[in-house]
Amino acid sequence: MADPYQNNVYHQGGGDSYGSYGEGGGHDGYGYQADYPTQEEDAASDATEGHDEEDQMYEGEYQGIPHPDEVKAAQRAARAKTRAAGSAVSELEELSEQYEDIMEDCGHGKFQWTLFVVLGLALMADGVECFVVAFVLPSAEKDLCLSNAEKGMLGLTVFLSMMVGAFLWGGLADKVGRRRCLIVALAINCVFAFLIGGTVPIVYSYFSEFLQMDKRGEHLSWLCMFWMIGGIYASFTAWGIIPRYGWGFSMGTELQFHSWRVFVLVAALPAISSLVGLTFMPESPRFLLETAKHDEAWMILKQVHDTNWRAKGQPEKVFTVTHIKAPKTAEDEFIEIQSATGTALQRWAVRSLTLCKLVLKNVASLLSAELRFATLFMAIIWFCMAFSYYGLSVWFPDMIKHLQYQEYESKVKVFHRERVENFHFNFSLENQIHKEGEYINDSFIKIEMKSVRFEGSLFEGCRFEDIRSTDTVFENCTIRFTRFSDTDLWEEKFIDCRIENTTFEHNKQGCHLDTMEENDVLIYLVSFLGSLAVLPGNIISALFMEKIGRVKIIGGSMLISAGCTFLLFLSFSQSAIIALQCLFCGVSVAAWNGIQVVTVELATAFGLLNALCKLAAVLGSSIFPSFVGVTRAVPILLSFTALVCGGLVALRLPDTRDKILQ
């Protein structure tokens, strides 16, 4: 049988050592040049970058603590010994171990930080998506004349489309390429104004494949922070732009270009910036190795190596890798065979069919004995966390609105059986109920009516001119010999009314005429504070991700978040709910960071789990608001139960700090 590895080894110079790097002596065939750079800068946290470590004595030298370089050398020797055992590891595990050694030699520096910013903007764009519709709707509903049902459906559409996008792009990225799929997803994001969200699963997989093992947890955690920065960016710009609803221009009553449209354009900037940056970044070399594109992978790895060491002032360091050995899969061979036959259409059909089969095969592999329990545990954790987080994220502002409405309603003025004759109303009417009144020969000129209800009243010989109204209705009223001119009082505002000998002239029609200015500046401020509150949690989780461990951070944060939800039973004011929202967001973000890091390290299909997350978001954001004004017990108990369940399951996960990326 032909060697399945033939043509899969990149050679530079002599040497026929199996799967070796470099040409010097070394660890069981994995040779490195004797003068290869020490890795003090790579072994330490980037928080210490800038210190001249060669001039400092290693602080553990006299305490018998091994130097980080010695630990890495021992780890490499152990991995090389395992590889030498032949059948002890699978082909993909062998590639993972080789790749880890190469990334350690490439180090962590300028290249990773550049990629960090570019991918951070992509993640920031995804964070903006989750907030933009909620911020836009209060204003856009006026221009677009949306009903409550349509507004709710539009909000759910975002999460539903993000769910489909996460599954689709997450699966394609494994077979088409991280960079290519990310560029396409971001381009669609920009063109279709935040209707597809497939960037998250690709971003983490892409970035993790440029990180060495001891950097992975910390820097993936820092990357997570950009999603929350997206929320801060969205809420801050919405707060500064949307309430200025007077901005813009109109073309008749059909097209209104108001401030909310400006906000949508501003919200697209992170996606556009990331898209531009990605065009200058390379494909993942790990993906290229797995698809038998070894020459391209070697060139990119050399680029990473040279970029980092030049930035550190050591351009003389040479990339010593000469051999990269990786398996060639049967699927790759099948595609190559079919690509040489048939017409162009047939080749496209074969490739597309094969690609679909490979994506489905990847999903099916999650049920294998090796990944079955990890996948189940992660699915439970993702679902519980997303259900609670997104459900409460919608419930908090809705609850604040409800409290505002209750306070407003408590101040309503009720007028019963009043008789007003020959009176000129030249002042605005607000938050009033008029029952069984009689208005004879009265005039309502150039006034605003806000939250006004006329019930069972009589209007005779009255005149309404230049009226602007909000939440104003006439119910079971009798209207005779009355004239409406230049008002926004049309048919929908007259419920079961008898209208006789009454004229309507030059009516102003259109939802955008609604004068309600609430545009809820407080809601934007609350969202901004909630997003801002996650920064401390993000920073703490990133600093302690490697020290405490992912499992403890996920489980502990979810259990503490569950405790925070119980405090909601004690909150009866807007300020108390705002404070608890900030506390909940600040604690739960640590769990999110841990979940995303572990998902990458356990190789449990990030795209599929992220799609499950969006499904949970749809359920949570649909169920929780339905109990606003009814009871707060159900949302609190639902979120508490979900968080406790997810936290306890998280404590059963394996520790992945020393796990090589598969």
Side-chain angles (χ1 to χ4, degrees):
M1 180 181 294
D3 182 2
Y5 289 95
Q6 66 182 13
N7 301 324
N8 287 342
V9 181
Y10 187 90
H11 296 274
Q12 183 187 33
D16 55 1
S17 180
Y18 176 89
S20 64
Y21 304 155
E23 298 185 9
H27 309 288
D28 298 323
Y30 287 78
Y32 297 85
Q33 293 182 352
D35 62 343
Y36 201 86
T38 56
Q39 300 290 321
E40 292 90 1
E41 289 179 291
D42 293 338
S45 170
D46 287 280
T48 62
E49 232 178 66
H51 294 275
D52 188 359
E53 295 171 357
E54 294 182 356
D55 296 336
Q56 299 179 12
M57 184 168 292
Y58 173 55
E59 62 181 358
E61 182 174 347
Y62 294 112
Q63 301 169 4
I65 301 175
H67 193 280
D69 286 348
E70 296 175 4
V71 174
K72 283 189 177 182
Q75 291 173 341
R76 282 186 174 180
R79 292 199 295 264
K81 186 175 181 180
T82 303
R83 282 194 294 267
S87 60
V89 294
S90 68
E91 295 170 349
L92 289 177
E93 288 174 333
E94 183 178 7
L95 170 61
S96 300
E97 293 168 355
Q98 293 177 9
Y99 192 79
E100 178 62 31
D101 290 346
I102 297 175
M103 291 312 302
E104 286 180 358
D105 288 340
C106 290
H108 189 100
K110 180 180 178 180
F111 181 89
Q112 281 84 359
W113 283 114
T114 303
L115 184 63
F116 174 80
V117 173
V118 173
L119 295 182
L121 289 170
L123 206 56
M124 183 176 170
D126 189 87
V128 170
E129 289 177 8
C130 295
F131 291 89
V132 68
V133 172
F135 289 151
V136 161
L137 277 180
S139 293
E141 64 175 307
K142 300 177 183 179
D143 288 353
L144 305 178
C145 295
L146 299 176
S147 65
N148 289 332
E150 290 171 333
K151 288 189 293 181
M153 182 56 65
L154 184 57
L156 292 180
T157 298
V158 174
F159 288 115
L160 287 171
S161 57
M162 290 176 74
M163 177 182 71
V164 176
F167 177 78
L168 174 66
W169 295 112
L172 287 177
D174 291 334
K175 295 301 175 184
V176 177
R178 280 62 158 143
R179 176 179 174 272
R180 182 184 301 179
C181 280
L182 188 54
I183 287 177
V184 174
L186 282 169
I188 293 175
N189 192 335
C190 298
V191 173
F192 289 97
F194 319 107
L195 287 180
I196 292 180
T199 56
V200 171
I202 311 174
V203 164
Y204 289 110
S205 299
Y206 186 27
F207 189 51
S208 67
E209 291 172 356
F210 285 97
L211 297 173
Q212 57 201 66
M213 184 169 58
D214 61 345
K215 299 286 185 182
R216 198 167 57 226
E218 178 182 352
H219 289 277
L220 283 176
S221 297
W222 288 121
L223 186 65
C224 294
M225 186 165 62
F226 276 93
W227 195 93
M228 300 301 175
I229 291 176
I232 295 174
Y233 175 79
S235 55
F236 181 76
T237 53
W239 182 23
I241 295 175
I242 295 180
R244 277 72 175 176
Y245 192 72
W247 292 1
F249 61 90
S250 63
M251 297 178 64
T253 59
E254 300 299 326
L255 176 61
Q256 306 292 323
F257 194 95
H258 286 133
S259 56
W260 68 268
R261 298 183 190 268
V262 178
F263 167 68
V264 170
L265 295 177
V266 173
L269 293 179
I272 296 172
S273 302
S274 181
L275 182 60
V276 173
L278 275 172
T279 60
F280 297 96
M281 303 309 296
E283 180 56 88
S284 163
R286 174 64 182 269
F287 165 77
L288 294 173
L289 288 174
E290 292 177 353
T291 53
K293 298 178 181 178
H294 304 84
D295 293 1
E296 295 178 44
W298 187 89
M299 293 298 295
I300 293 172
L301 289 168
K302 184 178 186 301
Q303 175 190 348
V304 175
H305 174 279
D306 294 347
T307 300
N308 287 342
W309 287 108
R310 286 195 190 105
K312 294 177 181 179
Q314 301 184 56
E316 71 280 359
K317 304 300 182 183
V318 179
F319 185 56
T320 60
V321 175
T322 57
H323 299 267
I324 304 177
K325 191 167 186 178
K328 184 176 183 180
T329 65
E331 289 87 352
D332 295 327
E333 293 176 350
F334 176 74
I335 291 176
E336 289 180 7
I337 292 172
Q338 294 298 321
S339 64
T341 61
T343 64
L345 180 60
Q346 289 174 328
R347 290 196 296 271
W348 175 84
V350 169
R351 287 182 178 274
S352 299
L353 180 61
T354 304
L355 182 61
C356 293
K357 288 181 178 179
L358 295 180
V359 172
L360 293 175
K361 183 179 178 180
N362 276 2
V363 175
S365 68
L366 299 177
L367 301 178
S368 64
E370 182 181 356
L371 294 176
R372 187 181 305 143
F373 287 106
T375 302
L376 177 61
F377 287 172
M378 290 306 301
I380 293 173
I381 295 168
W382 271 93
F383 186 90
C384 291
M385 188 66 205
F387 178 78
S388 178
Y389 179 83
Y390 286 106
L392 286 178
S393 294
V394 175
W395 184 84
F396 279 124
D398 281 0
M399 194 63 190
I400 292 172
K401 286 182 180 179
H402 176 68
L403 292 176
Q404 287 179 323
Y405 177 76
Q406 281 187 321
E407 182 180 357
Y408 186 75
E409 196 176 42
S410 67
K411 299 176 182 178
V412 66
K413 297 178 181 178
V414 180
F415 300 87
H416 193 260
R417 293 186 176 180
E418 63 177 351
R419 179 180 176 87
V420 182
E421 190 171 355
N422 298 317
F423 186 78
H424 177 62
F425 288 86
N426 58 358
F427 51 86
S428 295
L429 306 178
E430 180 178 355
N431 199 19
Q432 298 177 1
I433 298 177
H434 299 262
K435 295 183 177 181
E436 302 177 7
E438 295 182 2
Y439 304 90
I440 312 298
N441 298 325
D442 296 326
S443 59
F444 301 78
I445 311 291
K446 292 184 179 181
I447 65 172
E448 292 183 1
M449 296 181 176
K450 180 179 178 182
S451 297
V452 178
R453 174 179 291 271
F454 294 95
E455 298 178 358
S457 298
L458 169 67
F459 293 86
E460 186 171 318
C462 294
R463 193 159 53 105
F464 292 82
E465 292 184 9
D466 195 11
I467 303 295
R468 294 175 64 88
S469 65
T470 298
D471 193 24
T472 295
V473 295
F474 297 77
E475 186 172 359
N476 294 318
C477 294
T478 300
I479 303 174
R480 301 172 182 164
F481 305 102
T482 297
R483 177 171 171 263
F484 292 86
S485 177
D486 196 25
T487 73
D488 59 1
L489 301 172
W490 59 89
E491 292 181 4
E492 287 80 1
K493 298 196 176 185
F494 296 91
I495 303 172
D496 297 328
C497 292
R498 294 178 56 194
I499 301 178
E500 303 173 0
N501 298 314
T502 296
T503 59
F504 293 85
E505 301 174 352
H506 309 296
N507 264 16
K508 297 181 288 188
Q509 296 190 21
C511 313
H512 60 278
L513 297 173
D514 202 325
T515 60
M516 184 173 287
E517 296 284 341
E518 280 130 55
N519 244 340
D520 298 314
V521 176
L522 177 61
I523 298 301
Y524 299 131
L525 176 60
V526 169
S527 299
F528 174 70
L529 292 176
S531 301
L532 195 63
V534 307
L535 286 180
N538 247 313
I539 295 172
I540 293 172
S541 65
L543 293 176
F544 291 95
M545 187 66 69
E546 295 292 345
K547 297 177 182 178
I548 297 178
R550 293 86 157 116
V551 173
K552 292 181 180 178
I553 282 184
I554 299 172
S557 297
M558 292 186 74
L559 293 175
I560 295 174
S561 298
C564 293
T565 61
F566 241 86
L567 296 177
L568 290 171
F569 278 118
L570 306 177
S571 59
F572 295 95
S573 65
Q574 296 180 39
S575 57
I577 290 180
I578 293 173
L580 287 173
Q581 178 188 13
C582 293
L583 179 62
F584 175 80
C585 292
V587 174
S588 61
V589 69
W592 276 120
N593 289 1
I595 289 170
Q596 288 157 346
V597 172
V598 169
T599 303
V600 170
E601 294 175 333
L602 288 178
T604 50
F606 205 124
L608 180 62
L609 292 175
N610 197 258
L612 181 65
C613 166
K614 297 305 183 286
L615 175 61
V618 170
L619 294 175
S621 57
S622 301
I623 295 173
F624 281 53
S626 62
F627 289 98
V628 172
V630 179
T631 177
R632 68 177 63 193
V634 173
I636 293 174
L637 292 176
L638 283 175
S639 60
F640 176 82
T641 303
L643 288 168
V644 169
C645 178
L648 294 177
V649 171
L651 296 176
R652 300 294 302 275
L653 291 173
D655 192 344
T656 57
R657 277 180 287 183
D658 298 324
K659 187 179 186 297
I660 292 177
L661 196 64
Q662 297 296 321

